[in-house]
Structures are given as C-alpha cells and as structure tokens.
Amino acid sequence: MTTVIKNGTIVTADLTYKADVAIDGGKIVEIGPDLKGDETLDATGCYVMPGGIDPHTHLEMPFMGTYSSDDFESGTRAALSGGTTMVVDFALPAPGQGLLDALQMWDNKSTRAHCDYSFHMAITWWEEQVFNEMETVVRDRGITTFKHFMAYKGALMVNDDEMYASFKRCAELGAIPLVHAENGDVVAELQRKLMEEGNTGPEAHAYSRPPEVEGEATNRAIMIADMAGVPLYVVHTSCEESHEAIRRARMLGKRVWGEPLIQHLTLDESEYFDKDWDHAARRVMSPPFRNQRHQDSLWAGLQSGSLSVVATDHCAFTTDQKRYGVGDFTKIPNGTGGLEDRLPMLWTYGVGTGRLTPNEFVAVTSTNIAKILNCYPKKGAVLVGADADLVVWDPEKEKTIAAANQQSAIDYNVFEGKHVKGLPRFTLTRGRVAVHDGEVRGEEGHGQFVKRDPNGAVNRALSSWKELTAPRPVERTGIPASGV
Ligand code: DUC
Ligand code: ZN
Ligand code: ZN
Ligand code: ZN
C-alpha cells in the first residue's frame, strides 16, 4: 500500500521545496510532483520534515532511589505526539553490573516502544570486564556511543583515569564518548556545605551546581578526549562556560559537539526562587536552569553552529517522587520531561522569533544528530530510500501546553501554560500514521532498534597516522559523522 503526502513543502536541513512524498514498506519511495497512492495525507499549508530525533532520554531508569516514570510505552507515545520519531535512551549498568547484563534490561523494556530507538551505553565503573564488553556492545549490538558521568559522586561518577582509559577504548572501537560534564567533587562539597548551613530547599540545588562546575568539567573532558584522539559529545550544555570550551575546541579543529536542552533554552533560574516547594522541585534537574546570559549564549551557539543538537534529557518524576527530597534537596530525583514539547517549543521560541530558520530547526532537531550517531540517511532525511519517519508540520496550529492533555505519565509539565504555535498535523513512524490531526494512534511494539556502525573519526589534526595509539576500525558502512 502506498501512502502519499500531498501538497506540502518539504523542509530539510539544507533545502525547501514543494513536492509530494510517496511511502511504501515503511520507506520513502518517491519524491516529486503529482504523485498518486492508495492513501493520501493532505499537507496543504504544512511543512514536511524529517521526524525529530531525541538523542537524550531516560525512560524507566533506576535513579536516585526510584525509577523515572515515563517508560518506553508512554515516553515514545509522547515523542510521536510532538513530532519526534526516534529516541536514544541510556542503558545504565549499576556499578559492578556488566554492560551486556544492563543491555538485556533495556532490551526487555524497549519492546513496548511506539517509535524507533537506539541506545547509548553508560560507563559507570571501570574493570577489564567493561573494557572487553565494550567491543561486543559496538560490534555485535551496534551501540557506538558511551556515556560518562563526571558528577553523581559515589554513584555513577567516573574518575579521570577511568575516563581516559574508556575514551582510548572508544578510539580503538570507532565509538564516540559522551560526557555529563559537571565537576562531581566540587558539587558534592557544595551540597555538603549548603545542607550544613540549613539550605535544604530546592533552590539550593541551583547553588550547588554553578556554571563553573560545568565549564571546568567540559574543558577537562575535551582535553582528555584530545589526548585519547577521540571525538567528544557533550550532553546538556547549559551555560556559556561550557559552550565557550566547545566553541574554542571546534575553532582549534577538534571534533566536539554540544547539546543544549529545550528546557535550558526556554526556562530560567527564576523557576527555583520565590516559588512553592513543589514548583521548584519539579524543575530540579542537572545541570539546573540558568539566567538569561547563558540562554542567549545557547541560542547564539545554535545560530552559529557551535552547538549542534537540541535534546530533552527527558527523565520524568511525579510530584510524589520529587517529595523524596523534602528536607534535603540532594535527595530530590533529578530530571524533567520535555519529549512531547521539544519540537513545538523550539519552533515557537526559535523559528517563531526569527532566531532559527526552518532549515536550522531540522538540522538541530534531527539531521545533525543522525549524522553524529551514524544513522543518516536512514534517519534524519527526506530522501528516497530513507525510513518514512516524517512529521507534517502545521505552522498555524496552536495550543497551550497543559499536563491535563499530555501523553507523559506524570502529573505536571514544566512548560505548563506556554502557548505554542507550530504542531504536527501528522507524524509517521516508518510509514505508519501515529498522529492524525492531533489524535495519537500509537502501536505499542511498533518501534524497532536502530543498529549503528562504528566510525573512525578523530577529533584533531594529526601530523602522522603513527600518532594513533591503536588501529582505526576497518568496517565503515555508514556515512562518516562529518560536516555537523
Ligand atoms: N540529569 C538529570 O537531571 N536527570 C537525569 C540524569 C542527569 O544527568
Ligand atoms: Zn546528565
Ligand atoms: Zn541525561
Ligand atoms: Zn507496526
């Protein structure tokens, strides 16, 4: 059966043009004028864009004494509702747990997904077993990105020696390390001092994680990646100090990418101050929201290309879960939602204000990350042969964001009351119409795992191949992650 999207304007990361799109067997089979099919979706007045890719979610993740409350069922339903057609979640081994063991848990959870997905693997401890299993994770499982927490001391945090060893292993395997860049030692000391002084409320969370802890860790991770000869992806870049380190690294020819979140772009630190406990605690995430100086820096980075991807770090906790931290802000589960709202919020506050062009919007929500993760043009493209993961975007459609109408399983929304203009008319996941005129028609289990190939990119100019400490990976069937 052929589905045709008719009368729309195709918007990709580099082109805008009028054409119909024909879909069969879950893939785009033809792009051109006056196409015919068995089923027609009317895109008059709409943009036809690659579906969003959110490379940073935590679905049903064990964390801070509880589990994040959106699972692969509600989380991917929320994603599709907002025009996102692929998520990349973090498989998180408990310290001491094997990588393959953790992966089995994520395989089991993800069978409920409504849209396609991939995983990053977290490195939360470092022994020979981890070193060995990394190869299986890359070569057999198609997971080519490894996350390192530089914060959460005593839980997930890895030290510099462990990070350097893991980064070198990534270089050997053609994998890319990711970092949560905050100086965990300094954060732990600031937390201790704030609690000792009686600052127990959620606003103290922001004081315990100032921009300097993020800037320091970002610089350190970049230098360690440089020594290991491997590219680096910095998740949730929230401040000028971190952005500045990324900007400088890129100017010096290092392959380093930064990922601001929609929350940091559109919500500021006033959410923590002079607000009731629940309001502030619901917005506790790491890094915390910043002031306007930092927000301006992030928007400028998206415009100039020094920041590459907008994600969510979707990690949703209910109000009851947040209340675990009454009397001790360090026990408030860290995390906020955003999967359903990322595209409408970025369109409204980015394209609607002139800060981003529609093509830049596609680049930072989909195409850039597909290239970095080496799944382009299967994902992130409107091209013949690509997966039909598409959003038919109605720039005139409006709504006010309200928890009462959301797909996410939690009881509030950090964007409550924000008015957005620009929403999906249709969302397609491998050709299946999952959002039809705003109505979500999910199919649990439709989502498939997206395997990714390694790539041997390095992050600096080398005067000689001998400078590489290990052979580069040989199989390279994907498109190298360049030009982002
Ligand atoms: N930050 C959060 O706020 N939640 C999940 C993990 C993280 O790094
Ligand atoms: Zn993080
Ligand atoms: Zn995260
Ligand atoms: Zn299906």
XYZ file of all heavy atoms in Angstrom, residues 114 429-430 432 443-448, ligand 4:
85
model
N 6.706 2.707 20.767
C 5.852 3.060 19.625
C 6.665 3.556 18.434
O 6.152 3.612 17.323
C 4.877 4.184 20.012
C 3.844 3.804 21.012
N 2.584 3.383 20.673
C 3.878 3.791 22.362
C 1.868 3.138 21.767
N 2.638 3.379 22.812
N 5.723 7.078 11.673
C 6.866 6.294 12.110
C 7.013 5.093 11.180
O 6.113 4.251 11.133
C 6.757 5.864 13.595
O 7.581 4.739 13.813
C 5.332 5.558 14.033
N 8.073 5.089 10.412
C 8.261 4.109 9.336
C 6.968 3.905 8.542
O 6.523 2.797 8.309
C 8.808 2.781 9.867
C 10.352 2.728 9.838
C 10.919 1.416 10.311
N 10.619 1.194 11.697
C 9.672 0.374 12.148
N 8.962 -0.359 11.328
N 9.465 0.263 13.433
N 3.913 4.465 9.198
C 2.671 4.280 9.962
C 2.218 5.638 10.523
O 3.012 6.336 11.151
C 2.933 3.299 11.103
C 1.731 2.991 11.874
C 1.936 2.031 13.018
N 0.633 1.883 13.640
C 0.099 2.789 14.458
N 0.779 3.837 14.821
N -1.125 2.627 14.922
N 1.027 2.443 18.376
C 1.001 0.985 18.264
C 2.169 0.462 19.091
O 3.329 0.515 18.670
C 1.149 0.550 16.802
C 1.123 -0.960 16.627
C 1.627 -1.417 15.258
O 1.483 -0.672 14.277
O 2.217 -2.505 15.215
N 1.836 0.000 20.285
C 2.860 -0.498 21.190
C 3.656 -1.612 20.505
O 3.073 -2.509 19.910
C 2.163 -1.039 22.445
C 3.008 -0.943 23.671
C 2.253 -1.411 24.918
O 1.151 -0.902 25.161
O 2.799 -2.268 25.628
N 4.957 -1.522 20.564
C 5.794 -2.563 19.980
C 6.161 -2.330 18.520
O 6.924 -3.090 17.937
N 5.600 -1.274 17.922
C 5.951 -0.961 16.523
C 7.430 -0.535 16.402
O 8.087 -0.789 15.395
C 5.045 0.157 16.008
C 5.452 0.727 14.689
N 5.150 0.116 13.498
C 6.163 1.842 14.372
C 5.656 0.847 12.500
N 6.267 1.901 13.012
N 7.952 0.088 17.435
C 9.313 0.629 17.382
C 10.367 -0.468 17.229
O 10.256 -1.533 17.835
N 11.358 -0.193 16.418
C 12.465 -1.138 16.204
C 13.771 -0.517 16.662
O 13.970 0.701 16.569
C 12.583 -1.496 14.713
C 11.413 -2.301 14.202
C 11.532 -2.614 12.712
O 12.462 -2.150 12.037
N 10.592 -3.384 12.201
Zn 3.736 -1.553 13.090
